[in-house]
Amino acid sequence: MPPVTLLIIGAGNRGKVYARYALAHPDQVRVIGVAEPREFFRTRMVQAHDIAPENGVTDWQELASRPKFADAVIITTPDAQHRDPAVAFANQGYDILLEKPMAPDPESCQQIVDAISANKSIFAVCHVLRYTTYTRRLKELVTSGLIGDIVSVQHLEPVGYWHYAHSFVRGNWRNEAESSFMLLAKSCHDIDWLRYIVGSRCVQVSSYGSLLHFRKENKPAAAGDAMRCLDCAYEPGCPYSAKRFYNGRLREGKSGWPLDVITTDISVAGVEAALRNGPYGRCVYECDNDVVDHQVVNLEYENGATASFTMIATTESRERETTIFGTRGELRGDSKHIVHHDFLTEQTTTYEGEHLAGDNGHGGGDYGAIKSFVEAVARRDPSLILSGPEESLETHLTVFAAEQARREKRSIQLTY
């Protein structure tokens, strides 16, 4: 069987992560084209995958306008730029792996699904949490009846104080008008994951949250008028110091994410210039951010189970944590280990996590998602996809309803 051929639409961090699978498995998949407006990232992809010069372009429309010349595309453009390439490549007959979220509004999500359905494309959304070995094991335990029927779930996403400051105060997902609201940009993973674990559709949702801390009025008085960490007298005492964080990563030799996001020059001078002139050196209290820094979502499912989800920015950086309450027992997990307590025997058992070979991003989920997609395309078997069009649309609509509930301070019923 010849290797699956791919086009990468958007060669930033996420595009690079998924394309890396082709370097590890050239017998299974090859990257033969890339569209990326930024020269550095486009050139890096072209060189890494030995892409023909004419197939390394600045605008995805140039590739979409040609007769179909690859099996599939991976779309990892900014959130607000997902719909148009997804629809265009579906109409050209390509199979599609689409980075989450599908799109920043329900109508665009529906248009993508309609195009996929009309063209019978194999389609996967990068809800990578479904593809981790931890999730696979947890799902097996739940499905086996080990804890009886699920009654309720508590699920926590501790974003991490520095991750939030990097991505959602200073970074690309800080402003709803430029990307999308926080629950969609970061936590559509979690709403989708809960639906997968519970195994039932959400029928009612409520939500509360706000941007509480990262606001100008909370700027410490000692920071004065400083707009950047490099100029701030308060910087040594600030938990969100860009100077301490990024320079610390540089000293530790951690040149990948998130350092490679702020600059392509991974050196003392390069980081200094980025903090002096770029968005990542700004004071967290002086940015144009407007996405929430804490949010809770309450969900009721068609089978009667309930779930509570919490997204919180101001945490130690760690993995997601979940407790599943069943009629015969309880499961507690931290994205690596699973602890089971049985009500009948009153015994507690711990299941150690396993790890996928290869890319271990998102606990192996990145690797699992691209692996499943490539196999589905090669075999023409959409059953290998855990996050196909209809269920992905369903969980996105739950996210949009939850955000509506937060803004309107009311419960929202979902109908299908």
Side-chain angles (χ1 to χ4, degrees):
M1 185 179 295
V4 169
T5 51
L6 294 177
L7 307 179
I8 305 295
I9 310 303
N13 181 66
R14 299 307 293 162
K16 181 182 71 172
V17 164
Y18 297 125
R20 211 157 49 201
Y21 186 84
L23 298 177
H25 302 281
D27 58 318
Q28 297 179 26
V29 60
R30 292 172 49 228
V31 176
I32 65 168
V34 60
E36 168 57 57
R38 298 167 297 176
E39 182 178 1
F40 174 87
F41 297 98
R42 183 177 67 255
T43 300
R44 181 178 67 180
M45 185 74 70
V46 166
Q47 292 175 346
H49 296 271
D50 195 23
I51 297 170
E54 63 272 19
N55 291 342
V57 302
T58 60
D59 192 335
W60 64 263
Q61 295 184 64
E62 183 176 340
L63 299 182
S65 66
R66 300 180 190 177
K68 184 184 177 193
F69 68 102
D71 297 311
V73 297
I74 299 178
I75 299 174
T76 50
T77 51
D79 298 354
Q81 299 172 27
H82 284 181
R83 182 195 61 189
D84 290 352
V87 170
F89 282 105
N91 289 337
Q92 284 284 71
Y94 287 89
D95 297 322
I96 297 173
L97 179 65
L98 179 63
E99 181 59 281
K100 63 85 189 166
M102 294 173 67
D105 60 84
E107 296 76 18
S108 295
C109 293
Q110 184 67 62
Q111 289 168 17
I112 291 171
V113 171
D114 290 345
I116 293 297
S117 177
N119 293 284
K120 297 180 171 57
S121 300
I122 288 177
F123 177 78
V125 174
C126 296
H127 284 306
V128 297
L129 296 185
R130 289 191 179 213
Y131 294 88
T132 67
T133 52
Y134 164 80
T135 296
R136 183 179 64 193
R137 185 60 168 144
L138 185 64
K139 180 69 172 174
E140 288 172 352
L141 293 173
V142 169
T143 304
S144 74
L146 182 69
I147 60 169
D149 296 327
I150 293 178
V151 177
S152 194
V153 183
Q154 291 180 342
H155 183 61
L156 170 69
E157 181 179 14
V159 177
Y161 70 99
W162 66 259
H163 184 181
Y164 185 86
H166 169 78
S167 294
F168 304 101
V169 179
R170 298 175 172 121
N172 293 335
W173 294 275
R174 70 192 182 279
N175 187 284
E176 291 185 15
E178 293 187 15
S179 57
S180 55
F181 54 92
M182 184 69 180
L183 193 66
L184 185 66
K186 186 71 174 74
S187 302
C188 68
H189 267 325
D190 300 274
I191 302 302
D192 176 83
W193 187 85
L194 283 167
R195 193 267 187 252
Y196 182 59
I197 295 298
V198 173
S200 184
R201 298 185 298 187
C202 178
V203 294
Q204 187 160 254
V205 62
S206 63
S207 183
Y208 308 92
S210 65
L211 175 58
L212 183 69
H213 181 69
F214 297 92
R215 304 158 61 101
K216 186 177 179 63
E217 57 264 37
N218 292 324
K219 185 177 183 179
D225 296 328
M227 301 296 286
R228 290 185 174 271
C229 295
L230 293 180
D231 305 319
C232 182
Y234 180 71
E235 177 272 326
C238 181
Y240 307 102
S241 164
K243 178 180 177 181
R244 181 180 63 256
F245 175 70
Y246 294 113
N247 283 329
R249 290 299 188 273
L250 184 64
R251 286 192 298 271
E252 294 167 4
K254 298 178 179 178
S255 59
W257 186 88
L259 201 61
D260 61 357
V261 173
I262 76 166
T263 180
T264 57
D265 179 3
I266 309 297
S267 67
V268 173
V271 171
E272 175 84 11
L275 299 186
R276 175 65 61 192
N277 303 308
Y280 293 94
R282 293 181 296 173
C283 172
V284 293
Y285 304 103
E286 295 283 4
C287 292
D288 59 340
N289 59 302
D290 61 9
V291 299
V292 301
D293 54 21
H294 68 117
Q295 186 166 359
V296 295
V297 182
N298 301 309
L299 307 109
E300 181 181 13
Y301 293 92
E302 204 167 36
N303 63 3
T306 58
S308 61
F309 166 66
T310 298
M311 181 286 300
I312 175 67
T314 53
T315 69
E316 176 188 5
S317 296
R318 62 185 190 274
E319 301 290 342
R320 291 164 167 89
E321 300 168 2
T322 308
T323 303
I324 304 175
F325 304 98
T327 55
R328 296 183 61 85
E330 174 181 316
L331 290 168
R332 300 187 300 275
D334 62 0
S335 303
K336 294 179 181 178
H337 311 99
I338 302 169
V339 177
H340 167 234
H341 182 77
D342 186 272
F343 296 164
L344 180 63
T345 65
E346 296 190 345
Q347 292 185 341
T348 298
T349 305
T350 299
Y351 299 89
E352 296 295 330
E354 302 173 6
H355 297 285
L356 281 173
D359 180 6
N360 207 30
H362 288 101
D366 293 347
Y367 183 88
I370 180 64
K371 180 177 185 290
S372 295
F373 177 71
V374 168
E375 290 179 358
V377 173
R379 300 180 188 180
R380 309 310 304 160
D381 184 1
S383 70
L384 297 172
I385 301 296
L386 300 179
S387 51
E390 295 299 334
E391 194 164 311
S392 290
L393 176 62
E394 175 200 317
T395 63
H396 275 69
L397 294 178
T398 303
V399 171
F400 291 120
E403 182 64 5
Q404 180 185 357
R406 183 187 74 85
R407 293 174 185 272
E408 297 179 4
K409 300 185 184 302
R410 68 183 181 95
S411 178
I412 302 289
Q413 289 191 328
L414 292 99
T415 56
Y416 303 96

